[in-house]
Amino acid sequence: MTVEDQVYEVYDVLEKLDSKYTLKNKDIAFECIQKAISLKNKELEFDARHEYLSQLVFMNFHDEAIALYPWFLNYKKNNYIDFYRYHSLVWSFKWVVGRIGSYGKISRKQIDTLFEQFEQEVLEFGAGKKIISYFKLTLHTYMGNLEEAEVHYKAYKRSRAVSSIDDCYACQINNVIDFSLQKRDYKKVIRDSKDLVYKKYSCDSVPKTTYPKICMAYMMLGNSLKAEEFYQLSVKDLRMTQPQIPNVGYLMYYLAKNKMYVQAKKLLDKQLKYSFETNADLYKLRFCIGCYFLFKNAAADGIEFFKLNVDESFGLEATKKGYQVIELRDWYKVQVEAYIKLLDTRNENRFYQEYFDYLAEAL
């Protein structure tokens, strides 16, 4: 087989992977990168790496995606880049800046530097400032800087500009809802999500990833029937065979508050392993808070043991009856405290400590 034939063969594989996100396809995309490197074809390597990047993002391996992204900026610096790949580069930069606030080990200085670079790329591409306001809103929401987030929220809402690198409208609504959720404005969460619930706007991931947020909003408003409805939609529509830690945290709050231990075990059996695999500190915090309150309530109800499907990497030892609930409660409390300290220290505020205290009264 000629080199040209081998290149076409890799492109055929990449085409079959497009928009089909699975753990197997993630591994296949990585193999395509290695093949492209061996063929010394830089454009093929770019396309293979971009497919791998998309697999990482949509499978919620954002930490790996953040680590991979600088390769693309270096490629643009040292190689000719056509418009298609330039568009892909700027588009995928959104995946990075949209998640960097979730990693407490990434310093404020690093975040500021990366975001300045994002602004530069967006403006050079000609996309305008609306998308910059949108991602500044996302970043400051994750970092608990709600006053700053409010400024960017208003700028985003004022702008009528559109560009080819905007998120789809469904995703924009879904992400902006996070701001209202952090502000504890649960009525606004429900109001603003109506177009998603009734699928006026939708995409491959929305409203699936919106349902857990609506579940929490109804729960905090005391509407148990609607909360249950959106809990059921969440577990039905989310791909629970794939990492869903950013979304499952909200569901764990619901299960903890309502002491739904059987349902919690079913969910943990599917998702607990992914909570150990992600390095996203905010995702871990959200998940661990849910687990802490679940086991705190279970201990208060006199439940002594809880069986979990985890491997030897878990920090506790199980008996034949399962893990001791009191030990699970205490272990998750330690995790919660560690992640709160990490994030609040980096963010230079007390947002997550105050948020945990607020949830303690509700759950």
XYZ file of all heavy atoms in Angstrom, residues 42 45-46 49-50 53 65-81 85-97 100 110-125:
482
model
N 1.647 16.199 8.351
C 1.250 17.150 9.388
C -0.244 17.489 9.329
O -0.902 17.654 10.355
C 2.072 18.434 9.279
C 3.527 18.276 9.656
C 3.642 17.830 11.114
C 4.014 18.935 12.036
N 4.230 18.490 13.431
N -2.085 14.672 10.737
C -1.905 14.670 12.187
C -2.815 15.707 12.835
O -3.412 15.449 13.893
C -0.446 14.942 12.549
C -0.191 14.863 14.052
C 1.248 15.162 14.438
O 2.105 15.300 13.530
O 1.511 15.266 15.656
N -2.921 16.892 12.226
C -3.823 17.926 12.746
C -5.240 17.385 12.828
O -5.917 17.499 13.863
C -3.779 19.157 11.847
C -4.655 20.298 12.317
C -4.099 21.388 12.956
C -6.035 20.272 12.114
C -4.893 22.445 13.395
C -6.845 21.315 12.555
C -6.274 22.403 13.201
N -5.597 14.639 15.472
C -5.566 15.209 16.825
C -6.866 15.954 17.133
O -7.356 15.927 18.259
C -4.369 16.155 16.979
C -3.038 15.435 17.142
C -1.908 16.425 17.353
N -0.613 15.759 17.474
C -0.095 15.324 18.632
N -0.774 15.508 19.752
N 1.076 14.735 18.654
N -7.421 16.611 16.132
C -8.669 17.332 16.369
C -9.809 16.367 16.652
O -10.676 16.640 17.503
C -9.013 18.232 15.183
C -10.069 19.239 15.516
N -11.400 19.019 15.267
C -9.983 20.456 16.127
C -12.093 20.064 15.693
N -11.268 20.944 16.207
N -9.272 15.219 20.122
C -9.665 16.286 21.037
C -11.178 16.297 21.232
O -11.674 16.429 22.364
C -9.193 17.637 20.497
C -9.455 18.864 21.376
C -8.574 18.831 22.618
C -9.187 20.145 20.582
N -7.941 17.097 27.366
C -8.137 18.016 26.241
C -7.347 19.304 26.452
O -6.721 19.828 25.519
C -9.626 18.322 26.070
N -7.363 19.831 27.670
C -6.623 21.046 27.982
C -5.130 20.845 27.775
O -4.427 21.709 27.243
C -6.925 21.494 29.424
C -8.379 21.993 29.517
C -5.966 22.590 29.879
C -8.868 22.226 30.932
N -4.640 19.670 28.183
C -3.212 19.367 28.020
C -2.830 19.221 26.550
O -1.710 19.562 26.148
C -2.857 18.094 28.782
N -3.761 18.725 25.741
C -3.480 18.488 24.325
C -3.500 19.771 23.501
O -2.748 19.912 22.525
C -4.519 17.505 23.759
C -4.481 17.200 22.259
C -3.182 16.488 21.874
C -5.692 16.365 21.839
N -4.325 20.751 23.892
C -4.616 21.878 23.016
C -3.407 22.707 22.575
O -3.359 23.147 21.413
C -5.669 22.802 23.625
C -6.114 23.821 22.617
C -7.028 23.481 21.623
C -5.555 25.092 22.582
C -7.383 24.382 20.640
C -5.912 26.008 21.609
C -6.824 25.639 20.636
O -7.164 26.526 19.660
N -2.416 22.966 23.422
C -1.294 23.806 22.969
C -0.628 23.321 21.682
O -0.015 24.116 20.965
C -0.322 23.756 24.157
C -1.215 23.568 25.342
C -2.302 22.650 24.860
N -0.751 22.041 21.388
C -0.186 21.516 20.134
C -0.767 22.271 18.942
O -0.051 22.584 17.981
C -0.474 20.015 19.998
C 0.157 19.405 18.786
C 1.375 18.794 18.706
C -0.415 19.347 17.457
N 1.608 18.367 17.408
C 0.537 18.697 16.623
C -1.600 19.780 16.898
C 0.308 18.474 15.274
C -1.834 19.571 15.540
C -0.892 18.923 14.743
N -2.058 22.586 18.983
C -2.718 23.252 17.859
C -2.208 24.683 17.690
O -2.011 25.144 16.559
C -4.235 23.238 18.067
C -4.824 21.858 17.998
C -4.999 21.109 19.147
C -5.173 21.298 16.783
C -5.526 19.827 19.083
C -5.697 20.013 16.701
C -5.872 19.272 17.862
N -2.009 25.382 18.797
C -1.472 26.737 18.704
C -0.050 26.718 18.148
O 0.329 27.594 17.355
C -1.489 27.397 20.078
C -2.874 27.656 20.684
C -2.750 28.220 22.093
C -3.695 28.602 19.806
N 0.708 25.726 18.551
C 2.074 25.587 18.034
C 2.062 25.250 16.547
O 2.909 25.739 15.776
C 2.812 24.502 18.820
C 4.295 24.503 18.535
O 4.977 25.517 18.699
N 4.816 23.364 18.104
N 1.089 24.441 16.131
C 0.943 24.101 14.713
C 0.685 25.373 13.903
O 1.312 25.606 12.860
C -0.213 23.117 14.535
C -0.453 22.708 13.093
C 0.112 21.539 12.582
C -1.240 23.483 12.237
C -0.102 21.162 11.262
C -1.457 23.117 10.926
C -0.887 21.948 10.436
O -1.095 21.582 9.135
N -0.237 26.201 14.362
C -0.570 27.441 13.647
C 0.653 28.359 13.562
O 0.863 29.042 12.548
C -1.709 28.153 14.369
C -2.096 29.506 13.786
C -3.315 30.055 14.502
C -3.666 31.449 14.017
N -2.831 32.488 14.621
N 1.454 28.370 14.611
C 2.630 29.229 14.647
C 3.685 28.790 13.644
O 4.390 29.629 13.064
C 3.208 29.215 16.067
C 4.430 30.089 16.258
C 4.917 30.019 17.691
C 6.161 30.870 17.903
N 6.661 30.794 19.307
N 3.804 27.498 13.394
C 4.921 26.971 12.613
C 4.550 26.385 11.255
O 5.433 25.925 10.521
C 5.640 25.889 13.424
C 6.290 26.459 14.665
O 7.169 27.296 14.589
N 5.835 26.007 15.829
N 3.236 26.390 10.927
C 2.808 25.780 9.666
C 1.757 26.658 8.987
O 1.027 27.403 9.647
C 2.195 24.397 9.919
C 3.166 23.417 10.533
O 3.958 22.771 9.854
N 3.104 23.304 11.866
N 1.673 26.530 7.676
C 0.557 27.137 6.957
C -0.723 26.446 7.424
O -0.773 25.234 7.600
C 0.719 26.954 5.443
C -0.559 27.241 4.684
C -0.967 28.560 4.464
C -1.367 26.191 4.238
C -2.151 28.837 3.782
C -2.556 26.460 3.562
C -2.933 27.773 3.341
O -4.109 28.042 2.695
N -1.773 27.233 7.636
C -3.049 26.646 8.060
C -4.157 27.191 7.169
O -4.306 28.409 7.007
C -3.316 26.933 9.558
C -4.565 26.193 10.031
C -3.421 28.427 9.849
C -4.719 26.168 11.553
N -9.004 24.381 8.784
C -8.294 24.004 10.008
C -8.196 25.188 10.974
O -8.219 24.999 12.192
C -6.919 23.433 9.665
C -7.010 22.082 8.958
C -5.653 21.460 8.660
N -5.824 20.155 8.059
C -6.018 19.952 6.755
N -6.036 20.990 5.922
N -6.182 18.731 6.282
N -8.094 26.387 10.447
C -8.077 27.574 11.297
C -9.396 27.676 12.066
O -9.428 27.939 13.274
C -7.847 28.814 10.424
C -7.633 30.108 11.175
C -7.264 30.145 12.517
C -7.817 31.332 10.512
C -7.071 31.352 13.183
C -7.616 32.535 11.169
C -7.254 32.541 12.508
O -7.058 33.730 13.163
N -10.496 27.452 11.374
C -11.809 27.464 12.017
C -11.882 26.386 13.094
O -12.378 26.631 14.210
C -12.903 27.238 10.968
C -14.296 27.340 11.509
N -14.916 26.295 12.164
C -15.190 28.377 11.502
C -16.131 26.667 12.532
N -16.316 27.926 12.153
N -11.374 25.198 12.784
C -11.384 24.102 13.762
C -10.554 24.454 14.985
O -10.925 24.136 16.122
C -10.828 22.821 13.122
O -11.648 22.389 12.062
N -9.428 25.135 14.759
C -8.546 25.514 15.863
C -9.234 26.508 16.795
O -9.202 26.337 18.024
C -7.255 26.116 15.300
C -6.194 26.567 16.295
C -4.791 26.338 15.710
C -6.346 28.056 16.639
N -9.863 27.530 16.236
C -10.525 28.532 17.074
C -11.757 27.926 17.749
O -12.036 28.178 18.920
C -10.910 29.772 16.252
C -11.600 30.811 17.131
C -9.676 30.384 15.599
N -12.493 27.124 16.998
C -13.675 26.458 17.553
C -13.303 25.610 18.770
O -13.960 25.685 19.820
C -14.345 25.594 16.481
C -15.547 24.854 16.965
C -15.586 23.662 17.631
C -16.908 25.281 16.860
N -16.874 23.313 17.941
C -17.711 24.294 17.472
C -17.519 26.398 16.286
C -19.100 24.378 17.544
C -18.911 26.486 16.364
C -19.688 25.488 16.978
N -12.264 24.831 18.643
C -11.898 23.921 19.732
C -11.246 24.647 20.908
O -11.222 24.111 22.024
C -10.979 22.808 19.224
O -9.846 23.318 18.571
N -10.745 25.865 20.681
C -10.199 26.651 21.789
C -11.300 26.908 22.822
O -11.054 27.018 24.022
C -9.641 27.976 21.266
C -8.510 28.551 22.090
C -7.662 29.499 21.538
C -8.298 28.161 23.408
C -6.610 30.043 22.280
C -7.260 28.700 24.156
C -6.419 29.641 23.598
N -12.553 26.999 22.360
C -13.688 27.190 23.258
C -13.792 26.053 24.262
O -14.181 26.268 25.417
C -14.993 27.270 22.467
C -15.047 28.366 21.425
C -16.426 28.429 20.779
C -16.869 27.094 20.230
N -18.230 27.116 19.673
N -13.489 24.839 23.810
C -13.582 23.680 24.699
C -12.612 23.801 25.865
O -12.875 23.292 26.948
C -13.295 22.405 23.916
C -14.248 22.131 22.796
C -15.516 22.610 22.645
C -14.015 21.307 21.658
N -16.083 22.136 21.498
C -15.185 21.326 20.871
C -12.930 20.534 21.233
C -15.303 20.612 19.683
C -13.041 19.818 20.045
C -14.217 19.862 19.281
N -11.495 24.473 25.618
C -10.474 24.641 26.651
C -10.875 25.740 27.636
O -10.937 25.510 28.847
C -9.108 24.953 26.012
C -8.078 25.277 27.084
C -8.631 23.777 25.155
N -11.161 26.943 27.116
C -11.461 28.057 28.020
C -12.796 27.858 28.736
O -13.026 28.449 29.800
C -11.446 29.407 27.282
C -10.075 29.705 26.731
C -12.508 29.476 26.186
N -11.434 25.489 31.910
C -10.231 25.671 32.724
C -10.541 26.069 34.165
O -9.777 25.748 35.074
C -9.260 26.715 32.103
C -10.002 28.018 31.763
C -8.552 26.145 30.894
C -9.097 29.111 31.251
N -2.236 31.531 35.057
C -2.301 30.678 33.870
C -3.633 30.862 33.147
O -3.682 30.912 31.920
C -2.122 29.211 34.279
C -0.720 28.836 34.701
C -0.669 27.409 35.218
O -1.346 27.049 36.190
N 0.132 26.581 34.575
N -4.712 30.943 33.924
C -6.041 31.128 33.337
C -6.113 32.456 32.593
O -6.599 32.522 31.458
C -7.126 31.056 34.431
C -7.254 29.617 34.938
C -8.468 31.549 33.899
C -8.170 29.472 36.139
N -5.633 33.512 33.225
C -5.661 34.833 32.590
C -4.847 34.846 31.295
O -5.281 35.408 30.280
C -5.125 35.890 33.551
C -6.057 36.141 34.727
O -7.236 35.749 34.640
O -5.599 36.712 35.741
N -3.674 34.209 31.335
C -2.818 34.165 30.145
C -3.494 33.407 29.016
O -3.494 33.848 27.854
C -1.469 33.506 30.483
O -0.800 34.284 31.478
C -0.587 33.402 29.243
N -4.093 32.264 29.346
C -4.752 31.445 28.334
C -5.962 32.164 27.760
O -6.204 32.132 26.546
C -5.163 30.092 28.936
C -5.603 29.005 27.959
C -4.481 28.684 26.973
C -6.013 27.747 28.711
N -6.699 32.861 28.617
C -7.882 33.553 28.116
C -7.506 34.745 27.242
O -8.184 35.039 26.249
C -8.780 34.011 29.274
C -10.228 34.047 28.887
C -11.087 33.025 29.245
C -10.742 35.088 28.118
C -12.409 33.041 28.853
C -12.059 35.118 27.730
C -12.902 34.091 28.097
N -6.416 35.422 27.575
C -5.934 36.506 26.716
C -5.581 35.967 25.329
O -5.855 36.611 24.307
C -4.706 37.162 27.348
C -5.028 38.055 28.544
C -3.780 38.553 29.247
O -2.669 38.313 28.718
O -3.908 39.172 30.314
N -4.988 34.777 25.315
C -4.640 34.155 24.041
C -5.908 33.778 23.263
O -5.974 33.942 22.036
C -3.787 32.908 24.297
C -3.002 32.433 23.089
C -1.915 31.460 23.480
O -1.865 30.945 24.589
N -1.025 31.181 22.537
N -6.918 33.313 23.987
C -8.198 32.984 23.364
C -8.827 34.234 22.741
O -9.278 34.209 21.589
C -9.140 32.382 24.412
C -10.555 32.200 23.938
C -10.869 31.247 22.986
C -11.577 32.996 24.447
C -12.179 31.072 22.543
C -12.888 32.840 24.013
C -13.190 31.873 23.066
N -8.842 35.334 23.489
C -9.387 36.588 22.964
C -8.663 37.005 21.690
O -9.290 37.424 20.705
C -9.269 37.698 24.000
C -10.226 37.586 25.159
C -10.220 38.831 26.022
O -10.532 39.916 25.492
O -9.901 38.725 27.215
N -7.352 36.904 21.708
C -6.552 37.284 20.547
C -6.917 36.434 19.338
O -7.113 36.963 18.232
C -5.061 37.133 20.866
C -4.137 37.501 19.716
C -2.672 37.295 20.084
O -2.289 37.348 21.242
N -1.857 37.034 19.066
N -7.024 35.120 19.528
C -7.356 34.231 18.407
C -8.756 34.521 17.869
O -8.976 34.530 16.656
C -7.258 32.768 18.853
C -5.853 32.285 19.165
C -4.953 32.232 17.935
O -5.469 32.217 16.799
O -3.723 32.214 18.121
N -9.709 34.750 18.775
C -11.087 35.019 18.365
C -11.176 36.315 17.568
O -11.821 36.376 16.510
C -12.014 35.083 19.605
C -13.375 35.679 19.245
C -12.197 33.699 20.193
N -10.509 37.356 18.056
C -10.565 38.649 17.368
C -9.827 38.606 16.034
O -10.279 39.193 15.042
C -9.994 39.745 18.270
C -10.812 40.028 19.547
C -10.107 41.034 20.425
C -12.222 40.507 19.195
N -8.691 37.906 15.998
C -7.965 37.760 14.735
C -8.796 36.992 13.716
O -8.772 37.284 12.519
C -6.635 37.039 14.963
C -5.560 37.906 15.604
C -4.237 37.162 15.733
O -4.150 36.007 15.255
O -3.299 37.734 16.312
N -9.552 36.033 14.197
C -10.406 35.244 13.311
C -11.580 36.078 12.804
O -12.145 35.795 11.749
C -10.923 34.014 14.057
C -11.716 33.067 13.205
C -11.072 32.192 12.344
C -13.103 33.063 13.250
C -11.808 31.311 11.553
C -13.839 32.194 12.467
C -13.191 31.319 11.614
